[in-house]
Amino acid sequence: MKSIVSDVYIKRLTTQELGYRRGRLMTGGYFYISKSAVGTFFKELDKYVLNDFLKLDFNDPLEPNNIIQASYVYHNDKYARENGTRNEYRIYHNRDIAKHELHFQPFEIVVFIKENDDNYKIEHFTPRNKEYQILQKAIEESKIRGNHALLTKRKYYDLISAYN
């Protein structure tokens, strides 16, 4: 079990997870979740229940006091089926999370902030946002492989407030 619990999960979006194939938008999108964030930020799901999932509540960034939901799924056929290969966590986009197909773009940054065990706030930064570069630096300095970082709320708000 991982011992450090984080309040903030930062990820830079990739073309693959946003549904781009050969430079064109072809499929629905999702947020790929690093296994480093499972158990430290998001709940662990049952590895022996095929495609175990939870509905996560998010505070709607466009309508304060409105709760929206998205499916958090553990694609786990590596453990749940003979000859399975998949072992990854995803949060799938829907019209509540992504208002349209182009809502999120490759290389933008999404920040998940844990409000409590069952509720999250989501923030979205494009390269035009002044906070983008500091968040990109946090990802680059992260010990998590890929486009991810885990922080405490204090560290996150200290970084963001430096640019306000």
Side-chain angles (χ1 to χ4, degrees):
M1 188 72 162
K2 300 164 181 123
S3 58
I4 299 172
V5 177
S6 301
D7 306 303
V8 177
Y9 175 55
I10 303 169
K11 74 171 293 35
R12 195 176 88 179
L13 303 174
T14 66
T15 56
Q16 171 73 24
E17 68 190 309
L18 294 177
Y20 288 87
R21 305 296 182 270
R22 297 184 193 145
R24 296 180 50 211
L25 185 59
M26 302 292 283
T27 67
Y30 60 89
F31 299 122
Y32 172 80
I33 304 300
S34 170
K35 287 185 196 75
S36 295
V38 176
T40 59
F41 186 80
F42 293 108
K43 291 180 182 178
E44 287 186 76
L45 299 176
D46 192 321
K47 72 195 281 184
Y48 299 107
V49 173
L50 183 62
N51 298 327
D52 195 15
F53 75 97
L54 287 173
K55 291 286 188 181
L56 298 181
D57 290 341
F58 294 91
N59 295 324
D60 189 336
L62 301 177
E63 291 182 45
N65 302 318
N66 186 36
I67 300 296
I68 57 178
Q69 289 190 324
S71 294
Y72 169 58
V73 180
Y74 182 25
H75 292 288
N76 59 355
D77 71 0
K78 179 178 179 177
Y79 302 103
R81 282 196 171 148
E82 191 175 326
N83 300 318
T85 59
R86 294 185 72 195
N87 180 24
E88 65 184 34
Y89 285 82
R90 296 177 175 186
I91 295 173
Y92 282 92
H93 297 179
N94 57 36
R95 289 291 179 239
D96 289 335
I97 294 290
K99 303 300 182 192
H100 52 80
E101 293 86 16
L102 301 175
H103 185 91
F104 295 107
Q105 293 294 304
F107 312 110
E108 292 179 342
I109 293 175
V110 175
V111 177
F112 298 93
I113 302 167
K114 188 182 288 192
E115 301 287 293
N116 60 52
D117 281 341
D118 297 315
N119 185 268
Y120 302 86
K121 180 179 176 184
I122 188 169
E123 295 181 347
H124 178 197
F125 298 91
T126 71
R128 293 182 304 277
N129 296 114
K130 59 186 173 185
E131 299 90 350
Y132 183 89
Q133 291 305 320
I134 194 69
L135 294 172
Q136 178 61 31
K137 186 175 179 190
I139 290 168
E140 290 168 1
E141 293 174 352
S142 173
K143 293 180 177 152
I144 301 172
R145 187 172 62 98
N147 297 300
H148 315 270
L150 288 165
L151 301 174
T152 64
K153 280 185 186 177
R154 181 183 181 99
K155 175 73 172 170
Y156 174 70
Y157 288 121
D158 285 350
L159 285 174
I160 295 301
S161 67
Y163 280 81
N164 291 324

